Amino acid sequence: MDTNNTVNLTGVLKKVLYQNEESKYCIAVLESNQKVCGQYFDTDIKKLEGEEILLKGNWETHKKYGVQFAFISLELKEREIFFFLTKIVKGITKKVAFELTTKYTEEELCEILDNEPSKLLEFKGIKEKKLIQIVTSWNKFKHLREMANFLGQYGVTKNMINKIFQEFGEIDNLIEKIKTNPYMLINIKGIGFKRADEIARALGISEQSSFRIMACLNYTLKEYCDSNGNSSISKEKLFSLLDISLNFNDKNSLYEDSIIEMLASDTLHETSKDRFSPSMLYYAEKKILEFFESRQKLQIPQTIVKDFDTYITKKEKTLGFILSDEQKKAVSLINDGENTILLVGYAGTGKSTSSRAILELLEEIVPFGDIQCIALSGIAAQRISETTGYNAATIQSVLMANKEKDEFPYKVILLDEASMVNSVTFYQIISKISYDTVFVIVGDDGQLPAIGAGDILADAIKFNLCPASKLTKIYRQNELQAIATIANDIRKGEVPKYEEKYEDFKFIDVSIKNHFILKNTLSTYEFNDLRAENSYKILNQILNTSSEYIKVIHKLREEKNITKALTAFQVITPMKSGILGVENLNINLQKLLNNNKNKAFQGRLYQYKIADKVIHIKNENMQSLSMTEYKNGGDNYVDKRIFNGMLGMIIKLDFEEQKCIVLYPNDDTVVFYDFNTLDNLISLAYCLTIHKTQGMEYDTALIPMSFSHFIMHNTKLLYTAITRAKNMCYIIGENEAFQSACTKLEITQRETVITDMLTEV
C-alpha cells in the first residue's frame, strides 16, 4: 500500500466480523455498512465497538469480499482534552466532560482548571469534595498532556497514552526520560519493541547501536520466557528472533558484542554452552538447585514414631481411610527424617488424604500453630485447609506477612498445587525456609505447567532433587463417579468411556454430522459458515445447561455465601475470542446468571453490574480494606497487593465517586477500583480460560468442545480443565473434536536453567 497517498475514513465501529489473535488482522463493519480491514495492535479491537474511529488507508477491491477499506492506522476520534478528562483526571464522568468541552474551548477549560476551578461547581455532579479530587488530579497529571502530544506524532494512540500513564504516571520528567530511552516503553502491552524502536529511530538512535540491540535482546528474552514458559534459550534461537525484530541478516558479530557487554553487566547469564538466561531467572533457578542440594547434605535422620506400622493402623481409624502402599511411603519418608519431599499424584489419587496423614505425623513433634499450608490461589488454600484441617494461606499473603523477616516462623511448610508455581515464586518461598523446617511439595505433573517461566515440579521429579512418592491409584466411591478416571485416561492420551451414564460427568453431543466429509467437499467459506452455525448451537446448549444453576447461585448470593457463589458453577474454555471464546460467553452468561437491574458501568468490552463475578487480571497495589473494616464503614484504606487470578464479586458501584467495589472473600479483602482503570484490572469471570482456572476447584465445571478451538486442544489442557470440577463436569460440543483432543498428547518440555545446569556436557 502506498502510505504517501492515503485517505481518511471516519465512522462508528459497528461490529468486528473477524480477528486473528496472532497477526492482529481484523475485518469489521462501520455503522454506514462500509467494510474495513487491517492490523490493529493497541488493544482487542472488539473493545472499540460503538466508538467513533478515524482510519487512514486506501480503498481496495477484494476478489471474494468486494470493496473494503484497508487501513494502516486506526485511532479513537475524540478530542484530546475529552480523552484526558475522562481517562486520566479522576472525578470527571463522560457526561460532565461532554458538557465542559461543549461549553468551553480547550484553552478556556485549561485556564479554569488552573486558576478558577470553582466555576466547575456550576455543573451538576460536581460538588466541593468532587472538585478537590478533580483539581488535585489535574495538577498531578496535566503534564501528561504534553506527553500525549509528543508521542502522538509517532503514532501512539490515546489508548496507549492511557496505558503509559498507568505504568509511568508517577515518574517526574517523563518526556525527557522517554526521549533519552524510548525503549523504556517496550513493556507496555501493545507498544512492544517495534513501536518503541520507531520512536527511537525517529529520535536519531542508530540502527546498529549497541543500545538498540541490547534493548531488543532484553525484550526478546523476556517475551520468549514469558510466552513459552522457558527460563533459558539457545544462542541460535535467540539470534534468529533478533534478526526478525531488528530486520537484520547475518549480524551475529553485533549480537555477540552485545551479549559480552550484557554478561559483564550481569543482566544476562550463560547457563551452559551457547545457552542464555535473564539474570532474574538464572539466579532464581540456581538458588533453587542449591536449596535442594543443601537440604540433602544437611539432613539429620530422626524417627518420629518407632513402631510405624502400629501408628499407621491407629491413624487410619481417625482418617477413615486405608492408606495405600504409595501413600504409606510418603508418610514413612517423613517418619525416617527426610526434611524435603515431593508428593506427586494425578487426579483422584489421594494427595489431600496423604497430606493430612503427613501433617498429623509431624504434629507429633511440632505444635499445630507451627504448621503452615500455602497455595497460589485463595481457593486452593481454602481447599487444602478444609481437607487437612491445618492453617492455610496464599503464597503471597504469607510472603507479605513475613517480608521483614529473614525466615518464615514455621517448622513445617506444605506447598500445594506446586505445578502452578513458577521459578521466581518458588525461589521467594525457599529463600525464607530455615534449614530445620520440613518442606512438603505437593503437585500434579499431569496438569499444565506454571504461568510464567520455569517448570520446578517437573525438574524436581526428572532430576530426583529430593525424595518423592508418586501416587497412581485412583480412588472413587462408586462406579458412577468418573471425573478422575476420565481425566486420567485423557492424560495418558486415551479416549475414555465418556458417553456412558455417570453421576458426575456428562457429555452433551452437538456435532456437525459428517464433519470430515463436508470439510472435504464444501468450499472453505461454506464450511466456515457451517462451523459458525454449529458453534451457535453449542452456545445455546451451554446457556440451557447453565440456566439450571441460576437458582443455586442466586440462593448463595442471598445467603451472603459469596465464596460458594463464586465456585458453584464455572464455564471453562481454551480461547478468548470467537463464538465459544471467553469474551462472548461472558457476555451471554452475565445476561443469564445476573439479573440485577441497578445501574451498570459500561466498560470497553463488558458491562459491570452489582453481583457480577469478576477476576483480577494484573498484579497491582490497590486501595483496600478488610471485610470487617468495610462493613463497619471504615475509610482507613491501605495499599494491598492484589494478584492476577483472584476471584471476586462486585458489591457496589459508586457513580458519584466513580468507584467499583469488589469483595475477594478468600482473601478477606474489599478493593476499590476507579472506573477509568477498570478495563485494565478486572474482567467478568463467568467464563475463564483453562490457564486462568489452574489451582481452582468448582462444584460444577462446563467445557465447550469445538474444532474451532483445535489449535488449543491437547491432553494437558483438557486434563487440567476436567479436574477443576469437584462434583459435576459437563462437556458440550463435537464428538470428534473431543476424541481428537483426548489423543493429542502434549509432550513439549520447557527449557530451563536447572535442565541446562544438570545436563551440561
Side-chain angles (χ1 to χ4, degrees), residues 304 311 358-369 371 390 412:
I304 298 174
Y311 171 82
I358 288 169
L359 296 180
E360 288 190 8
L361 173 66
L362 285 162
E363 201 183 344
E364 297 285 332
I365 57 170
V366 172
F368 177 87
I371 298 173
Y390 290 88
V412 176

Side-chain angles (χ1 to χ4, degrees), residues 160-178:
M160 278 301 111
I161 299 295
N162 193 26
K163 288 184 180 180
I164 293 168
F165 154 71
Q166 296 293 337
E167 188 73 22
F168 301 117
E170 303 295 326
I171 296 178
D172 293 331
N173 302 317
L174 184 56
I175 295 175
E176 291 307 312
K177 285 184 170 62
I178 292 173

Side-chain angles (χ1 to χ4, degrees), residues 610-659:
I610 292 173
D612 268 337
K613 178 178 173 180
V614 295
I615 187 168
H616 188 83
I617 57 175
K618 181 184 179 184
N619 295 342
E620 193 83 4
N621 290 330
M622 299 294 300
Q623 207 176 50
S624 309
L625 291 173
S626 71
M627 289 162 62
T628 303
E629 288 169 335
Y630 178 74
K631 286 176 184 176
N632 293 335
D635 57 3
N636 189 23
Y637 306 113
V638 295
D639 274 349
K640 182 174 179 179
R641 194 72 169 167
I642 307 300
F643 293 95
N644 184 359
M646 285 172 57
L647 206 60
M649 182 175 288
I650 296 175
I651 56 174
K652 186 176 181 180
L653 292 168
D654 188 334
F655 287 90
E656 184 176 341
E657 295 297 325
Q658 296 281 286
K659 297 278 188 184

Side-chain angles (χ1 to χ4, degrees), residues 189-206:
K189 190 175 180 181
I191 289 185
F193 176 79
K194 183 178 179 182
R195 188 72 63 85
D197 192 45
E198 289 172 359
I199 298 170
R201 298 295 305 284
L203 291 170
I205 292 177
S206 167

